[in-house]
């Protein structure tokens, strides 16, 4: 993790009412605050979701190639696999919102392309 990521994490924790070491700060109403993911947790969650999407896409690709070998099948699911890898890299670099949108839209587009284009 770069120093700027660590600084962001510390600022986020301080804004949420926590000390940099992870212990809650002694502020009134801290328990009433909504619990949110820290930036590090959000990045890890996106990486896990992207990895699961990549594994599921690979399984579907293998099943589709077994039933009907087509360049279009390989193209659609190959692009979905590449998209999952891009989302993992974006999440590692702190672009979790962009990665989330890309993952959602990209996987829906891949399923839609499979449904519409591939017989």
């Amino acid at each position: 993790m770069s120093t700027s990521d660590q600084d962001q994490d510390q600022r986020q924790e301080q804004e949420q009412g926590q000390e940099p070491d992870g212990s809650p700060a002694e502020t009134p109403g801290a328990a009433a605050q909504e619990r949110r993911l820290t930036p590090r947790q959000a990045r890890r969650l996106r990486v896990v979701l992207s990895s699961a999407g990549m594994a599921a896409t690979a399984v579907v690709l293998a099943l589709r190639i077994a039933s009907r070998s087509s360049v279009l099948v390989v193209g659609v699911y190959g692009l979905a696999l590449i998209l999952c890898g891009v989302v993992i890299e974006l999440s590692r670099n702190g672009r979790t919102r962009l990665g989330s949108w890309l993952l959602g839209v990209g996987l829906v587009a891949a399923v839609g392309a499979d449904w519409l284009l591939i017989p």
Side-chain angles (χ1 to χ4, degrees), residues 14 16-19 24-33:
Q14 288 172 351
Q16 289 181 357
Q18 291 183 346
E19 296 297 323
E26 305 256 347
T27 59
Q33 286 183 348

Side-chain angles (χ1 to χ4, degrees), residues 24 43 53 55 65 75 79 81 87 116:
R43 284 192 297 269
I65 287 178
L79 287 175
L81 287 170
V87 170
L116 290 174

Side-chain angles (χ1 to χ4, degrees), residues 90-113:
L90 283 171
S91 295
R92 287 183 62 232
N93 290 322
R95 301 291 178 206
T96 54
R97 285 188 202 125
L98 176 63
S100 297
W101 279 103
L102 277 176
L103 184 64
V105 170
L107 291 181
V108 167
V111 169

Side-chain angles (χ1 to χ4, degrees), residues 23-89:
S23 61
E26 305 256 347
T27 59
Q33 286 183 348
E34 185 179 321
R35 290 191 50 116
R36 298 180 66 177
L37 294 176
T38 64
R40 181 179 295 163
Q41 291 171 332
R43 284 192 297 269
R44 286 184 181 160
L45 177 65
R46 290 340 178 268
V47 168
V48 167
L49 289 176
S50 297
S51 300
M54 187 179 281
T57 303
V59 168
V60 171
L61 174 62
L63 293 174
R64 292 291 291 188
I65 287 178
S67 67
R68 180 173 173 94
S69 183
S70 169
V71 174
L72 195 53
V73 170
V74 174
V76 167
Y77 288 104
L79 287 175
L81 287 170
I82 291 170
L83 175 74
C84 288
V86 167
V87 170
I88 289 171
E89 193 58 34

